[in-house]
Amino acid sequence: MATESPGQARAQYFRAVTDTVTETTGTGELLSDLRAWLSSNWDPDLTVGQWWERLGLAGWSAPTLPPNAYGKGMARADAVLVQQELSAFGALGAPAGLGLLLAAPTIATHGTQEQIDLYVRDIVTGRKAWCQLFSEPQAGSDLAGLQTRAVRDGDEWVVNGQKVWTSGGQYADLGMLLARTNPDVPKHQGISYFAFDMLQDGVDVRPLKEMTGHALFNEVFITDARVADAALIGGVNKGWAAANTTLANERAGLGSGGGNAAGGGLAQPGTVMGMLEKRVGDLVAPKANGGRARPVGGALGAVRGGATMLITLAKTRGVNTDAGIRQDLARLYTLSELGRFNGLRLKAVKEQGGDIPGMPNVSKLSMSQIVRLSRDLGLRISGPAGMLHAYEAEDKDALRHATGDPFAGSVTEMALFAQAPPIYGGTDQIQRNIIGERVLGLPKEPNNDRVTPFSELPKNA
Ligand SMILES: Cc1cc2nc3c(=O)[nH]c(=O)nc-3n(C[C@H](O)[C@H](O)[C@H](O)COP(=O)(O)OP(=O)(O)OC[C@H]3O[C@@H](n4cnc5c(N)ncnc54)[C@H](O)[C@@H]3O)c2cc1C
């Protein structure tokens, strides 16, 4: 059995604890179409690259994208069903990661058809991996305060600056780069959005180690790097609108069980990870139990739904009769069900041409709540065993073997990582600000950022 990477373990856990948020019932026709397609197209002897080419070009990698961008125009809740059905069939799922979650929908919305055919095609077929070059040491929640500069040089731009918390930057072929292209206008109006080549001179990616022992994210130093004018998404100085599309997809995707900020499926896309030439059948478990198969990935990945997983853990540990634990398991289940109903409500409203403003923000806040409760409950259920941790991925199997506990280390790792989801994609406080200001119409905090040129705003050193 393959050893899971930290990204996979986290993605499975957070999918497990958030998947119930948008699981829907029905849509039988959609699933029977997918099953029929899988029956004639799934072939374990293909390479990962060949399989993703089939999946992506048939519209099943990113079914929420419009048909002109290699999708099927499906509701997000139905796309979660597609992911689940791919896994249940025993096929390798779509090329997970920030390309699929963020870059593809942004380019589909703001890019030209030429850019869609250049970039989105390579995302849905897993050929290129992406990272998100937004945050900087002085610009996180206040993203529009970013200072990385891009200066025009003929039909190219020269880029200098520093990014930080760049998830998956060490594996990315391309980055969604936000850079300041005009400092003499108010800060939101002088930003451009580029599809930026990460594998060029002038891009120095340095991993940052987290308390889990892994390095999910990086700092990225950019020195005289270059990007073509043709790689501008949405036009010069129009980057803020494109960035907002990326951020809205991040909130909605994370809130609906889209995985963690770096993706982390059973195989990673892109040229750097070297997965594209592997035999796809080697990455999924052999079919069992009447033709249904489970993805490889350990005990956590095998159990669907956060409450279900923790109920199993509570039974294994013999604490499922503890009244406090039972009550919190019921709370967790209730939160997940509320999220699922909200997903269904949004889908129904959208099908009638409407929208529920603020729902992505509510979903992300709800995901934070579920992650925190799962962390606390998991540690209570685990007891002292919750202190056991394998800092290296390869030690995980040894830890499970030594303790005889299939969950050993997993709950601990996720408890250590649980601080991250309420921060990435915009912190809980920022989600509440957005709901207050943009949805409820409450007054914004007074400032003159929207009228004063960026170059005249006070800045930290
Ligand atoms: C695991 C992880 C992965 C990430 N991956 C990426 C990535 O791939 N690419 C990328 O670009 N970024 C990434 N980030 C960065 C993330 O988007 C930022 O950390 C986040 O936006 C917060 O910014 P900051 O860390 O600078 O905190 P700050 O903005 O400095 O905030 C510090 C605190 O102040 C609060 N605060 C700030 N402003 C306000 C306000 N106006 N009102 C109320 N409270 C406020 C915040 O809520 C927070 O509690 C990642 C972060 C994490 C944790």
Side-chain angles (χ1 to χ4, degrees), residues 48 61 80 119 151 172 210 224 252-253 256 264 328 340 347 365 367 397 403 407 435-436 438:
V48 169
S61 284
V80 173
Y119 299 119
V151 176
E210 315 144 24
D224 291 333
S256 65
D328 276 348
R340 185 169 75 85
K347 184 183 163 200
L365 280 170
M367 188 267 288
D397 290 340
T403 57
F407 294 100
I435 292 169
R438 294 192 209 160

Side-chain angles (χ1 to χ4, degrees), residues 267-286:
Q268 284 73 40
T271 60
V272 182
M273 287 299 278
M275 307 288 287
L276 298 177
E277 295 308 316
K278 291 192 188 299
R279 182 181 170 272
V280 69
D282 293 339
L283 299 172
V284 291

Side-chain angles (χ1 to χ4, degrees), residues 3 41 44 104 119 123 233 345 423 429 433 447:
T3 304
N41 283 280
Y119 299 119
I123 293 172
I233 307 296
R345 199 155 63 92
I423 298 174
Q429 290 78 9
N433 283 356
N447 67 50

Side-chain angles (χ1 to χ4, degrees), residues 10 98 102 131-143 163-169 176 210 216-218 247 250 260-262 417 419-431 433 437 445:
R10 280 180 209 153
L98 298 186
L102 307 181
C131 64
Q132 182 190 23
L133 296 165
F134 279 23
S135 303
E136 298 182 2
Q138 304 297 339
S141 300
D142 178 24
L143 181 58
K163 298 290 174 176
V164 74
W165 315 128
T166 313
S167 303
M176 294 158 257
E210 315 144 24
L216 166 71
F217 42 48
N218 305 268
L247 294 171
E250 189 166 15
N260 69 21
F417 190 71
Q419 322 340 303
I423 298 174
Y424 58 63
T427 65
D428 285 3
Q429 290 78 9
I430 295 302
Q431 304 305 326
N433 283 356
E437 292 171 9
E445 280 178 49

Side-chain angles (χ1 to χ4, degrees), residues 359-379:
M359 190 52 95
N361 310 89
V362 170
S363 294
K364 186 164 187 282
L365 280 170
S366 154
M367 188 267 288
S368 293
Q369 223 178 336
I370 290 174
V371 164
R372 274 193 287 261
L373 179 56
S374 301
R375 169 197 64 194
D376 297 346
L377 193 49
L379 286 178

Side-chain angles (χ1 to χ4, degrees), residues 135-325:
S135 303
E136 298 182 2
Q138 304 297 339
S141 300
D142 178 24
L143 181 58
L146 61 91
Q147 301 197 36
T148 292
R149 285 281 277 128
V151 176
R152 196 191 275 281
D153 178 24
D155 58 2
E156 286 189 332
W157 296 78
V158 180
V159 186
N160 282 283
Q162 187 198 338
K163 298 290 174 176
V164 74
W165 315 128
T166 313
S167 303
Q170 66 273 58
Y171 312 121
D173 299 281
L174 289 151
M176 294 158 257
L177 172 72
L178 288 186
R180 190 158 301 281
T181 39
N182 185 354
D184 298 322
V185 290
K187 62 183 183 180
H188 298 86
Q189 295 171 27
I191 294 171
S192 297
Y193 192 120
F194 296 93
F196 179 74
D197 178 6
M198 293 293 288
L199 307 177
Q200 60 171 308
D201 290 343
V203 179
D204 181 14
V205 181
R206 300 186 198 162
L208 291 167
K209 211 166 199 183
E210 315 144 24
M211 63 180 161
T212 57
H214 309 304
L216 166 71
F217 42 48
N218 305 268
E219 30 183 17
V220 178
F221 296 86
I222 305 173
T223 312
D224 291 333
R226 290 192 166 253
V227 60
D229 210 35
L232 259 171
I233 307 296
V236 185
N237 297 325
K238 301 269 171 45
W240 191 244
N244 269 300
T245 300
T246 303
L247 294 171
N249 277 281
E250 189 166 15
R251 282 161 202 145
L254 295 172
S256 65
N260 69 21
L266 298 174
Q268 284 73 40
T271 60
V272 182
M273 287 299 278
M275 307 288 287
L276 298 177
E277 295 308 316
K278 291 192 188 299
R279 182 181 170 272
V280 69
D282 293 339
L283 299 172
V284 291
K287 287 198 167 203
N289 304 328
R292 291 276 142 162
R294 285 174 176 162
V296 176
L300 288 173
V303 189
R304 306 302 296 169
T308 314
M309 183 196 81
L310 290 177
I311 289 166
T312 308
L313 185 59
K315 283 182 182 162
T316 314
R317 299 235 167 250
V319 294
N320 55 322
T321 51
D322 179 295
I325 284 177

